Structures are given as structure tokens and as C-alpha cells.
Amino acid sequence: MDLLFGLLTGVLFGFLLQRGQVLRYDVQLGALRLKDMTIVKFMLSHIMVAMVGIYLLNDLGLVKLSLKATVVGANALGGLIFGLGWGLVGYCPGTSLGAVGEGRLDALAAIAGMLVGAGIFARAYDGLLPTVYTWGNYGKITLAGVLGINHWLVIAILIVAFAAILRFIERKGL
């Protein structure tokens, strides 16, 4: 049942990526050049909805949050590799699958590269644990936990801030 739910939510996410036009190469390139904010708008909107939904489900006891440790070294290195890959092929994991769904077979090369990268990571993981995974390891933290305030207050502040960013982007026509 979990696999079916995962498949259905993945198809829905792909549909939303396609409808939001974030699968297009020119939109991807525009995002990398900070000229087209379609992806930023899509992601900020998604984050706003998701953080309310996830914390509401958590507070109702329908899901349990499973936090990962905040490790600055691993996040920085992973972000650099992710950004380099996105810049080289013009796809991130979600958009590459959506592009294949649209019939753009060039995304298959990107997916193959991601799988090779995942394999390399799996082989290197044990060597990364005593090094990169110790650089700036803050453990399992949340912004609300660090600030010592209720998570709904953080969510409200972030929604106001993200809405202001979205409004700014729209007014600038980006």
C-alpha cells in the first residue's frame, strides 16, 4: 500500500511540475541564471502548503516526523554536487522523471548520471561518515526547537515571508 501511495503522489507531483511548466529547459536555464523565477515560485508555494499539511498531520497524530540530522558539511557538499549536476544536464531528479513522462528522452541520460552518482555515494558513504558527516553536525533540530517557540508561530512567520517574496517576484515580473 505504501508503494502505491508513493506512486500516486509521485504521479501527482509530476503532473503539477508539468502544469507549472517547470519541466521546460528554458525555465530550468532561466532559474540557474536567476532570470526566470517560475521554479522559485513553484517551490515556495509547495513549501508553504507542505509545511502546514505535514505539521497539521503530525499534530493530529496521523504521521510522525522523522528528522534527519543537520550536518553542514554533508549538506554543503551535497548541494554543490546537486547544483553542478543540475547545471550540467538541466534537470533535477523530479524534473528529469517529468521530462521523460513528456517524451524528452535526453532526460534519460540525466537519470543514468544520477544513478551512477548514487552508486558512487553508496560506495563512498563509509568513508564520508568520519569526515564530511562530522563537519557541523548539529543533530536533529528544527527552527522552532532552536528558537524555543511553537512550530505554528514559525510556520506563520515563514508563510508571511514567503508570500511577500512571491508578491515581490510577481511585481517585478520575474
Side-chain angles (χ1 to χ4, degrees), residues 134-148:
T134 62
W135 303 340
N137 186 345
Y138 292 99
K140 297 180 178 186
I141 60 172
T142 64
L143 188 54
V146 169
L147 297 174

Side-chain angles (χ1 to χ4, degrees), residues 4-160:
L4 179 61
F5 184 69
L7 176 64
L8 292 175
T9 56
V11 168
L12 176 62
F13 184 63
F15 173 77
L16 294 173
L17 286 172
Q18 198 277 332
R19 296 300 299 159
Q21 299 184 355
V22 298
L23 302 176
R24 294 180 18 213
Y25 177 75
D26 59 318
V27 172
Q28 296 281 326
L29 184 61
L32 291 170
R33 298 178 65 216
L34 302 176
K35 303 255 184 206
D36 186 335
M37 295 290 127
T38 302
I39 294 173
V40 172
K41 293 186 284 189
F42 180 87
M43 290 308 298
L44 281 178
S45 300
H46 170 78
I47 291 167
M48 290 166 65
V49 171
M51 69 181 165
V52 169
I54 288 170
Y55 272 96
L56 181 62
L57 291 172
N58 183 64
D59 287 354
L60 293 173
L62 298 173
V63 298
K64 184 176 185 295
L65 294 181
S66 177
L67 301 176
K68 302 290 183 209
T70 300
V71 183
V72 176
N75 289 343
L77 181 60
L80 288 170
I81 293 169
F82 179 89
L84 180 63
W86 184 24
L88 287 172
V89 298
Y91 295 111
C92 69
T95 59
S96 65
L97 293 172
V100 170
E102 284 187 334
R104 285 189 266 132
L105 299 181
D106 63 313
L108 290 174
I111 293 168
M114 290 177 217
L115 291 173
V116 168
I120 292 169
F121 171 76
R123 295 291 287 160
Y125 183 74
D126 290 337
L128 295 172
L129 280 177
T131 57
V132 175
Y133 276 86
T134 62
W135 303 340
N137 186 345
Y138 292 99
K140 297 180 178 186
I141 60 172
T142 64
L143 188 54
V146 169
L147 297 174
I149 59 177
N150 185 284
H151 56 265
W152 288 109
L153 180 58
V154 173
I155 289 169
I157 292 168
L158 289 174
I159 286 177
V160 169

